[in-house]
Amino acid sequence: MKKKNWSVLLGAAFLMATSAVGPGFLTQTTVFTQQLAASFGFVILISIILDIGVQLNVWRVIAVSERRAQDIANLVLPGLGAFISFLIVLGGLAFNIGNVGGAGLGFNVLFGISPETGAMLAAAIAIAVFLVREAGKVMDRFAQVMGFLMILLIVYVAFTSAPPVGEAVAKTFLPDEVDVLAIITLVGGTVGGYITFAGGHRLLDAGVKGKESIPEVTTSAVSGITVASVIRVFLFLAALGVVSKGLELDAANPPASVFRLAAGEVGYKLFGVVMLSAAVTSVIGSAYTSVSFLKSFSGTIRRNENWVIIGFILVSTAIFVTIGQPVRLLILAGALNGLILPLTLGVILYAAYKPAIMGDYRHPPLLTIFGVLVVLIMAYLGGYTLLQQLPKLFG
């Protein structure tokens, strides 16, 4: 039992972490390092603290209530679960198109094939996971193997780029500047949209639930943030090593140029492997979690979950291969994604105090305060982003 549970807890942690670490995560981390240099360490530190606060709230309430996020939302306000599911699935689909494109780019770097052909190969790998009878276990194991592979390769590149570690540590606690937008972007990219629910719903599917499971849920939640943060920190160090030498990053593909400038052509190929691993695991996490939000509304979807997930992957791949990156859809999804976190976290915090949903469970006040703080900050910034982006949709 213990061994089985440990593999499920690690599986959920890695599913969440590798869902967070996609093409956008690699690009954001590199670009912010270029802008903020060693002070970006402070942004990472604050975002890790906020991420843990979000994730502990969400996973705890899902586990204790033994319900998925959309079912909790429907109990708080009928119809709210359907609205949240719509937002999550729209965001999941839009980001999945980007993930499929990122995987295509990974294949392109490794073998020189076109990104479209690469995207179809990546989709085939992701679909293969859900064709297996024990798809959940295979998904867990795949996320773990790919996660460890990314960590190893990024750590290697971080060492070869020889970053000024002392300066990075100092500026993490005493930054030259504090970039609030960067903090919000990182929190949104690590636990925003569908990502935080990837692990929470996975634990529920694997039977880790009820009040007695809180210690395990906490371990898994913190492990997920830790894995994503380790990848972020070493990628930051790799980029810092390159930037601190005054080398110029290629604006068209900043993360690829970090790998290339740090470790030459071998580094560039390693970037291909990291990009491919990051993208395929994000395709799997996004499809699995988006469909987990649809299961409550249809028995057919529940019974044919894996086939619906495969359909989701096929649709996002078809859109990428035929249309490419649908810019307006991505802008809209990015803007709406900023609102998903405050809305869903707000609902989760409200539900945490409803005996009809939670029984006699008492939610830790510190987690509540933390959660409310994140809801307020993210709601303000999410609204601000939405107002900034909407003119671009109709422009």
Side-chain angles (χ1 to χ4, degrees):
M1 174 63 187
K2 274 287 169 252
K3 186 173 187 304
K4 171 189 171 285
N5 253 12
W6 183 238
S7 82
V8 167
L9 300 184
L10 258 190
F14 270 89
L15 181 68
M16 173 265 142
T18 55
S19 293
V21 181
F25 179 104
L26 300 178
T27 305
Q28 278 168 4
T29 306
T30 311
V31 169
F32 281 132
T33 305
Q34 200 176 1
Q35 288 170 6
L36 303 170
S39 297
F40 183 50
F42 175 77
V43 170
I44 294 176
L45 177 66
I46 298 299
S47 68
I48 290 171
I49 296 167
L50 294 175
D51 291 342
I52 290 175
V54 170
Q55 188 119 306
L56 285 177
N57 273 307
V58 172
W59 288 28
R60 250 176 187 259
V61 173
I62 287 174
V64 174
S65 70
E66 303 187 11
R67 293 178 173 95
R68 290 186 186 83
Q70 70 273 24
D71 300 325
I72 295 170
N74 272 337
L75 288 172
V76 168
L77 181 69
L80 186 57
F83 177 65
I84 287 174
S85 299
F86 168 74
L87 287 182
I88 295 258
V89 173
L90 176 73
L93 181 66
F95 291 115
N96 227 14
I97 297 164
N99 292 333
V100 168
L105 179 67
F107 268 122
N108 170 262
V109 168
L110 285 171
F111 306 114
I113 57 179
S114 77
E116 289 74 18
T117 310
M120 289 190 276
L121 280 173
I125 295 170
I127 287 169
V129 169
F130 295 103
L131 288 173
V132 184
R133 217 165 66 98
E134 297 269 353
K137 284 182 183 169
V138 176
M139 179 172 70
D140 289 350
R141 180 63 65 208
F142 186 79
Q144 288 171 45
V145 171
M146 291 291 129
F148 279 123
L149 179 66
M150 286 191 279
I151 290 172
L152 284 174
L153 297 183
I154 293 171
V155 167
Y156 167 74
V157 175
F159 272 103
T160 55
S161 87
V165 176
E167 186 192 355
V169 172
K171 297 275 173 75
T172 294
F173 298 100
L174 290 167
D176 294 334
E177 57 176 311
V178 176
D179 188 328
V180 177
L181 186 66
I183 295 172
I184 303 310
T185 308
L186 257 58
V187 172
T190 313
V191 289
Y194 71 88
I195 299 167
T196 188
F197 301 104
H201 284 184
R202 176 67 194 119
L203 288 179
L204 205 55
D205 281 348
V208 179
K209 56 190 177 184
K211 226 161 51 170
E212 64 285 354
S213 71
I214 288 177
E216 295 172 311
V217 171
T218 303
T219 303
S220 187
V222 174
S223 304
I225 299 293
T226 305
V227 172
S229 303
V230 164
I231 293 176
R232 176 109 55 200
V233 167
F234 280 102
L235 190 56
F236 155 61
L237 289 173
L240 185 63
V242 171
V243 173
S244 64
K245 295 180 183 62
L247 299 169
E248 198 58 44
L249 299 185
D250 172 13
N253 194 346
S257 57
V258 165
F259 280 67
R260 186 173 243 157
L261 292 167
E265 276 311 301
V266 172
Y268 186 59
K269 294 294 182 192
L270 294 182
F271 164 74
V273 178
V274 170
M275 181 57 120
L276 183 58
S277 311
V280 173
T281 49
S282 293
V283 167
I284 290 170
S286 170
Y288 166 79
T289 312
S290 297
V291 172
S292 80
F293 271 86
L294 297 174
K295 286 203 294 202
S296 312
F297 306 104
S298 155
T300 311
I301 292 178
R302 242 188 336 273
R303 284 189 298 276
N304 300 292
E305 182 182 6
N306 288 358
W307 291 109
V308 180
I309 292 171
I310 288 168
F312 191 87
I313 296 169
L314 285 173
V315 169
S316 27
T317 310
I319 294 173
F320 174 74
V321 171
T322 53
I323 304 171
Q325 301 279 12
V327 176
R328 289 189 172 180
L329 178 64
L330 284 171
I331 290 173
L332 177 66
L336 289 176
N337 213 43
L339 296 176
I340 291 176
L341 181 59
L343 179 62
T344 47
L345 183 55
V347 168
I348 292 278
L349 290 168
Y350 179 78
Y353 288 90
K354 303 294 280 182
I357 299 173
M358 304 296 290
D360 58 358
Y361 164 80
R362 296 183 67 79
H363 201 58
L366 193 62
L367 274 185
T368 306
I369 294 165
F370 220 103
V372 169
L373 196 67
V374 175
V375 169
L376 294 174
I377 296 169
M378 296 300 280
Y380 171 74
L381 285 145
Y384 176 77
T385 310
L386 190 62
L387 293 174
Q388 296 284 87
Q389 298 289 1
L390 283 180
K392 291 185 190 172
L393 284 177
F394 308 110

